[in-house]
């Protein structure tokens, strides 16, 4: 049996979970999320959501843990939210935002202007003597991760000096340079 799938998801206070026609809807103070599901049964009992599978088929086992984890992320997201922070390491690397428009100077011949989805709140912090930081927050864990990965993809950190866009707290595997 799936070790993740068999654990029930506790519903936090102020969150409602509705299950209708293979669609799970989770509503909370930060927003509303929906997720379609298949090959499993989802039941709401008291203040817990229970995900069960019908057989031990490989697809059913895989989806058992998957949908349990998705429901857990939805419940956590609409009650508390998720935050990802990115750090720009490099001379002249800057970030600024006007509303949902993020302007990045990453050492290319032009600035990168990225329009960020309205569900994601973006904030830039530029302190003197420190690397600029981009903070992304939303109730949708998938969307925050996707936007953060897109920003990181513009200039991934290189292994020699560590220059580029990295997650705050990320440990980079460094290489030795040429030995003379």
């Amino acid at each position: 049996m799936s070790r993740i799938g068999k654990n029930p998801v506790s519903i936090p206070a102020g969150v409602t979970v509705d299950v209708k026609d293979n669609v799970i809807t989770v509503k909370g103070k930060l927003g509303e999320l929906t997720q379609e599901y298949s090959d499993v049964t989802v039941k709401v009992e008291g203040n817990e959501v229970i995900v069960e599978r019908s057989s031990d088929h490989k697809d059913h086992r895989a989806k058992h843990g998957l949908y349990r984890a998705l429901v857990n992320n939805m419940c956590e997201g609409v009650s508390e939210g998720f935050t990802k922070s990115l750090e720009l390491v490099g001379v002249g690397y800057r970030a600024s935002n006007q509303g949902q428009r993020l302007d990045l100077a990453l050492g290319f011949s032009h600035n990168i202007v990225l329009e960020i989805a309205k569900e994601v709140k973006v904030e830039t912090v530029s302190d003197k003597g420190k690397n600029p930081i981009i903070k992304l927050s939303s109730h949708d864990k998938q969307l925050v991760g996707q936007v953060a990965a897109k920003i990181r993809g513009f200039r991934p950190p290189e292994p020699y000096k560590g220059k580029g866009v990295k997650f705050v707290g990320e440990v980079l595997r460094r290489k030795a340079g040429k030995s003379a």
Side-chain angles (χ1 to χ4, degrees):
M1 184 145 195
S2 170
R3 284 188 269 184
I4 293 171
K6 69 182 178 183
N7 295 334
V9 178
S10 61
I11 301 172
V15 175
T16 59
V17 178
D18 296 323
V19 180
K20 285 184 187 147
D21 302 327
N22 288 351
V23 176
I24 304 166
T25 306
V26 180
K27 293 178 189 169
K29 64 180 180 187
L30 296 180
E32 179 180 338
L33 293 169
T34 59
Q35 175 67 48
E36 290 185 15
Y37 67 93
S38 62
D39 297 333
V40 294
T41 56
V42 179
K43 294 185 283 189
V44 180
E45 293 179 0
N47 63 345
E48 290 184 335
V49 178
I50 297 168
V51 180
E52 294 174 340
R53 64 175 186 249
S54 55
S55 72
D56 268 346
H57 191 267
K58 190 174 184 179
D59 287 345
H60 295 182
R61 286 196 319 246
K63 289 181 180 177
H64 188 207
L66 167 74
Y67 288 121
R68 189 265 176 206
L70 289 175
V71 170
N72 187 47
N73 288 340
M74 289 163 63
C75 288
E76 191 179 329
V78 296
S79 63
E80 299 165 29
F82 294 100
T83 305
K84 287 234 183 231
S85 298
L86 296 145
E87 185 178 5
L88 278 62
V89 180
V91 177
Y93 287 10
R94 290 184 308 277
S96 62
N97 71 307
Q98 292 81 33
Q100 293 300 101
R101 174 169 267 157
L102 183 65
D103 190 8
L104 299 168
L106 298 175
F108 296 115
S109 61
H110 59 282
N111 286 2
I112 298 169
V113 179
L114 183 65
E115 195 69 41
I116 294 177
K118 66 182 186 321
E119 293 91 5
V120 178
K121 188 174 154 261
V122 64
E123 180 188 346
T124 55
V125 179
S126 297
D127 292 331
K128 190 165 177 67
K130 293 184 181 173
N131 293 328
I133 292 176
I134 304 167
K135 291 182 182 174
L136 304 167
S137 58
S138 175
H139 61 279
D140 192 347
K141 186 174 188 178
Q142 237 172 323
L143 190 60
V144 170
Q146 189 176 359
V147 171
K150 185 172 181 75
I151 293 169
R152 186 180 189 271
F154 290 132
R155 179 76 85 174
E158 52 95 19
Y160 298 102
K161 290 184 179 177
K163 287 173 51 173
V165 180
K166 71 182 191 90
F167 293 109
V168 171
E170 179 182 8
V171 178
L172 298 174
R173 193 152 171 214
R174 303 295 287 271
K175 290 183 177 179
K178 288 196 284 186
S179 55

